[in-house]
Amino acid sequence: MKFGVVLFPSKKLQDVANSYRKRYDSHYSLIPPHLTLKEVFEATEDQIDEIAANLRKIAEETNPFTLNVTKVSSFSPANNVIYLKVEQKQELTSLYNKLHEGNLEQPTEYSFIPHITIGQRLSDDEHLDVYSQLKLVDVAHEETVDRFHLMYQLENETWTVFETFRLGKG
Amino acid sequence: MKFGVVLFPSKKLQDVANSYRKRYDSHYSLIPPHLTLKEVFEATEDQIDEIAANLRKIAEETNPFTLNVTKVSSFSPANNVIYLKVEQKQELTSLYNKLHEGNLEQPTEYSFIPHITIGQRLSDDEHLDVYSQLKLVDVAHEETVDRFHLMYQLENETWTVFETFRLGKG
């Protein structure tokens, strides 16, 4: 099975993200707006119980922290991905690192740039057009993160939550 | 905000359910296949913390139990809803009851008939046609339930998980 670890922002921020994703993100109907903490990895149902126990421990050791969205940005020209840029704070990086250590280690194609995708798989022209508009929008937003989620993917490519981990509940 | 409480069956059963939902269930893209334990209710973000604490306590007091899918059934003629019928066991009814007591009380339009919807909002003709085929399918299945989920609804009507509650972890 395919698993991944994400943060879901507040309903408010998810609604904002979805107002763009509906038009510009081909994954709109597969998963709610999210910040990926750990890219997709393969695990069996037996392995995942051990991994979940590990994630539970990491959550207990991590205190809730503030998440700041600063602006709309893009991974172009590498990738025509438009996203809400999330400030790279020590707490977030530390959580990311813990999710890639020990038995959670995995090869990572990208370095960690915390973001919430709002547009992807756009043609160059469409990307340029949409991004030139969206980068002018004020999306500044602050909220508290107090949980993250282990997800798994179904055959139809949609994602279901396996377990929620609340921060600092040790 | 709108909340609800559901069970997600295993990936295997979700994949089976989705193979039908894709064609017959208008809610296919709004939420993964699920068994509703508590119908939609309104709560503020402040109230939900108290409710979540309550759900945590209920989960701790409830042991994992076996879920049996027996056959394909329908709520017709009352409703053109086709579903996977889930055996009404004492553990499931008891969990449902706990989720409707005290500060979780809410008016319920329907009595509790545990089911996983695979088709809805079908015309009478379509319902008759689809149901006459599906009721012949052998969907007998058994699995262990060890968690349930508190969900909330976004403006686009899709559902996001607020928190997972693992059974018997008190």
Side-chain angles (χ1 to χ4, degrees), chain A residues 29 156 158, chain B residues 8 13-36 73 75 80-84 115-123 126-127 130-131 134 157 159:
Chain A
S29 64
N156 69 356
T158 61
Chain B
F8 290 132
L13 192 55
Q14 287 190 61
D15 285 336
V16 170
N18 270 337
S19 69
Y20 302 113
R21 295 178 79 221
K22 185 172 187 171
R23 278 174 291 175
Y24 309 124
D25 186 349
S26 56
H27 290 181
Y28 172 67
S29 64
L30 303 181
I31 188 168
H34 60 280
L35 185 159
T36 302
S73 194
F75 289 128
N80 285 351
V81 169
I82 301 172
Y83 59 89
L84 302 179
H115 66 280
I116 297 162
T117 297
I118 56 174
Q120 60 187 317
R121 309 218 179 161
L122 303 170
S123 71
E126 199 181 6
H127 172 269
V130 172
Y131 181 47
L134 292 189
E157 299 195 339
W159 291 84

Side-chain angles (χ1 to χ4, degrees), chain A residues 7 11 14 28 31 46 72 86 115 118 122 143-144 147:
Chain A
L7 291 183
K11 173 177 183 293
Q14 287 190 61
Y28 172 67
I31 187 168
D46 289 339
V72 172
V86 173
H115 67 280
I118 56 173
L122 303 169
E143 65 182 55
T144 302
R147 65 196 64 208

Side-chain angles (χ1 to χ4, degrees), chain A residues 7-162:
Chain A
L7 291 183
F8 290 130
S10 64
K11 173 177 183 293
K12 188 179 168 187
L13 192 54
Q14 287 190 61
D15 285 337
V16 170
N18 270 337
S19 69
Y20 302 113
R21 294 179 78 222
K22 187 173 185 169
R23 278 174 292 174
Y24 309 126
D25 185 349
S26 55
H27 290 180
Y28 172 67
S29 64
L30 303 181
I31 187 168
H34 60 280
L35 185 158
T36 301
L37 287 173
K38 190 172 176 62
E39 289 287 349
V40 57
F41 61 96
E42 280 284 349
T44 64
E45 289 188 50
D46 289 339
Q47 289 170 327
I48 208 64
D49 286 333
E50 195 183 326
I51 289 170
N54 228 316
L55 297 180
R56 225 167 283 137
K57 194 158 161 285
I58 290 170
E60 283 174 9
E61 295 166 358
T62 306
N63 286 321
F65 59 88
T66 306
L67 177 145
N68 286 82
V69 174
T70 53
K71 61 174 184 175
V72 172
S73 194
S74 165
F75 288 129
S76 159
N79 263 313
N80 285 352
V81 169
I82 301 173
Y83 60 90
L84 302 178
K85 188 174 176 63
V86 173
E87 214 175 301
Q88 186 122 29
K89 290 208 178 140
Q90 187 267 323
E91 293 101 322
L92 194 53
T93 314
S94 159
L95 177 56
Y96 175 88
N97 288 339
K98 286 180 195 168
L99 294 174
H100 292 81
E101 285 168 4
N103 77 346
L104 297 175
E105 210 168 354
Q106 76 186 90
T108 47
E109 189 184 358
Y110 303 109
S111 58
F112 181 50
I113 300 174
H115 67 280
I116 297 162
T117 297
I118 56 173
Q120 60 187 316
R121 309 222 178 160
L122 303 169
S123 70
D124 286 351
D125 283 354
E126 198 182 7
H127 172 269
L128 189 66
D129 182 40
V130 172
Y131 182 46
S132 64
Q133 292 170 40
L134 293 189
K135 71 181 175 187
L136 304 173
V137 179
D138 177 13
V139 291
H141 172 85
E142 178 172 302
E143 65 182 55
T144 302
V145 172
D146 65 356
R147 65 196 64 208
F148 60 83
H149 305 269
L150 175 62
M151 317 281 293
Y152 58 96
Q153 193 171 31
L154 301 182
E155 293 308 313
N156 69 356
E157 299 195 341
T158 61
W159 291 84
T160 302
V161 168
F162 183 79

Side-chain angles (χ1 to χ4, degrees), chain B residues 32-96:
Chain B
H34 60 280
L35 185 159
T36 302
L37 287 172
K38 190 173 175 62
E39 289 287 348
V40 57
F41 61 97
E42 279 284 349
T44 64
E45 289 188 48
D46 288 340
Q47 289 170 325
I48 208 64
D49 286 332
E50 198 182 324
I51 290 171
N54 229 315
L55 297 181
R56 224 167 283 136
K57 194 159 160 286
I58 291 170
E60 283 174 10
E61 295 166 359
T62 305
N63 287 321
F65 58 88
T66 305
L67 177 147
N68 287 82
V69 174
T70 53
K71 60 174 183 174
V72 173
S73 194
S74 164
F75 289 128
S76 159
N79 263 313
N80 285 351
V81 169
I82 301 172
Y83 59 89
L84 302 179
K85 188 172 176 63
V86 173
E87 214 174 303
Q88 187 123 25
K89 290 208 179 142
Q90 187 268 325
E91 294 101 320
L92 194 53
T93 313
S94 160
L95 177 56
Y96 174 87

